[in-house]
């Protein structure tokens, strides 16, 4: 039997994987890190409390998890081994290389490929926001400004913030609670109260608490969509009376919505 392959430990990826599990659709969920794999497996276990626990190899009644970044040839080998019939790309909107690799592998093997796209925010039109093409551009702007900075852009690109004058004293970051993300931050000299490791997305109240606790003057985020908690960060920044610096998505993607992806799975089963 052909399987559904889902790429992405994102909110969308986890929703789609749970749907497959609940409807007994054979699925392989591919994530980049061991931490992402643990999150997916934990959700699987929570949904199947009435059944036997997950096997140690990550497989349970047609449900399995693969952790690790793949090059194109490795991805093609995985798709062939798992007899992929449908690939759902639910990777993060900023994971451009991953999406290109998945698309290339599927095209080479003539496997049906669907990209799940998050609805974009109109950051340029939002009062109280400043938009930039890259984190580097935002850092250049902030280098001429004073006050504490809250970087809610994740672990990727964290090293760029070290260009800020006095970054060890004025920069506060929030990353995933994975050993690698924490180690990377510590290696840059970001530690103690300046480093928070938590799994999002976060509520407006949680974001607002961060801003007030650390006397934040500037907040930086990506255009991560509703699933990434963008609106909650925007509202928290407005409530705190500070600017929100938004890193734009570099590529205008085409694809289908999460709801359309679920409809495709309904037809698949």
């Amino acid at each position: 039997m052909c399987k559904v392959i889902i790429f992405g430990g994102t909110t969308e990826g986890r929703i789609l994987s749970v749907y497959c599990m609940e409807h007994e659709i054979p699925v392989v969920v591919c994530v980049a890190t061991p931490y992402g794999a643990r999150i997916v497996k934990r959700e699987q276990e929570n949904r199947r409390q009435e059944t036997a626990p997950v096997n140690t190899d990550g497989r349970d009644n047609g449900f399995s998890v693969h952790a690790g970044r793949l090059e194109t040839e490795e991805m093609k080998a995985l798709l062939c081994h798992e007899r992929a019939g449908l690939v759902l790309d639910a990777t993060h909107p900023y994971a451009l290389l991953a999406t290109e690799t998945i698309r290339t592998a599927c095209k080479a093997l003539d496997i049906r490929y669907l990209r799940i796209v998050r609805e974009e925010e109109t950051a340029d039109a939002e009062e109280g926001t400043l938009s930039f093409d890259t984190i580097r551009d935002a850092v250049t702007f902030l280098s001429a400004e004073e006050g504490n900075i809250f970087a809610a852009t994740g672990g990727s690109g964290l090293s760029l913030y070290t260009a800020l004058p006095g970054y060890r004293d004025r920069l506060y970051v929030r990353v995933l609670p994975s050993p690698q993300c924490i180690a990377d931050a510590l290696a840059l000299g970001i530690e103690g109260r300046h480093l928070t490791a938590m799994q999002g997305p976060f509520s407006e109240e949680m974001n607002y608490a961060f801003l007030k606790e650390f006397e934040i003057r500037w907040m930086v985020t990506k255009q991560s969509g509703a699933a990434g908690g963008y609106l909650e960060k925007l509202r928290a920044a407005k409530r705190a009376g500070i600017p929100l610096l938004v890193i734009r998505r570099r590529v205008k993607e085409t694809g289908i919505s999460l709801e359309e992806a679920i409809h495709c799975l309904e037809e698949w089963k």
Side-chain angles (χ1 to χ4, degrees), residues 35 173-178 181-182 195-202 206 210:
Y35 172 75
V173 306
R174 188 169 66 196
V175 299
L176 288 172
S178 73
C181 286
I182 295 171
L195 173 61
T196 299
M198 296 178 68
Q199 173 73 42
F202 301 94
M206 178 68 82
F210 271 83

Side-chain angles (χ1 to χ4, degrees), residues 94 96 124 130-142 153 156-158 160-161 164 219-223 245-251:
Y94 289 78
L96 303 180
D124 294 332
L130 300 171
S131 296
F132 299 87
D133 289 329
T134 66
I135 292 177
R136 192 184 303 275
D137 293 337
V139 168
T140 299
F141 169 82
L142 290 169
T153 50
S156 177
L158 201 58
L160 297 173
Y161 289 98
L164 288 165
M219 183 178 184
V220 190
T221 187
K222 293 178 179 178
Q223 254 182 316
L245 281 62
V246 181
I247 310 303
R248 302 185 188 95
R249 298 189 198 179
R250 287 181 288 171
V251 176

